Amino acid sequence: MNAFEKIKRSWWVLLSFIPFLNGLGFLYIAITHSNRNWFVEFATYELPWVLYFIYYARFGNPNLDFYSPSSLILLIALLLYFIGIIRSFWVAVKLADVYDNEEKYVIQTTDLSKANAGKEKDNHKTNLGCCLCIIVLFIMFVIAVL
């Protein structure tokens, strides 16, 4: 694959530079590649911005003292903004490797036994529980700060 095709497939990285929409690139590749982990990253990068705007809508002009809830939420959002930029470049480089070696990464269909299918279902439940736990902890942190 030539360089133009790689750049064309990595356009979503540009979304990470928009401060309030930096997680939308991960939403795009999560939908495109059917990857739940990237959907969790989308939620992680967008949730602080949503909470900040909810706080702003509820209390009006936010007080930006160091220990105020709005400044802590904004600090977390900015930190995740920069992490999102770095992470999007990292994922784009890894995806470029996958695009170059597509025959190596092709998923081959196999016949799963009932035992393996049961284990796979349990794994999805564990992943969902982990995601929900992280979101609940984040909401509890915001409530404790407010």
Side-chain angles (χ1 to χ4, degrees), residues 41-54 73 77 80 134-136 138-139:
E41 285 192 56
F42 154 72
T44 302
Y45 298 139
E46 287 299 320
L47 190 61
W49 293 111
V50 170
L51 291 175
Y52 179 74
F53 287 125
I54 289 172
I73 294 171
L80 287 174
I134 290 172
I135 292 171
V136 167
F138 188 75
I139 291 171

Side-chain angles (χ1 to χ4, degrees), residues 5-56:
E5 284 294 319
K6 288 180 189 177
I7 293 171
K8 191 170 120 180
R9 286 188 171 187
S10 299
W11 69 269
W12 59 270
V13 174
L14 295 175
L15 292 173
S16 65
F17 288 100
I18 302 172
F20 306 116
L21 306 174
N22 60 328
L24 289 181
F26 283 100
L27 177 65
Y28 170 76
I29 62 170
I31 292 170
T32 304
H33 295 283
S34 300
N35 190 330
R36 289 184 186 185
N37 295 332
W38 290 333
F39 184 76
V40 171
E41 285 192 56
F42 154 72
T44 302
Y45 298 139
E46 287 299 320
L47 190 61
W49 293 111
V50 170
L51 291 175
Y52 179 74
F53 287 125
I54 289 172
Y55 185 85
Y56 182 76

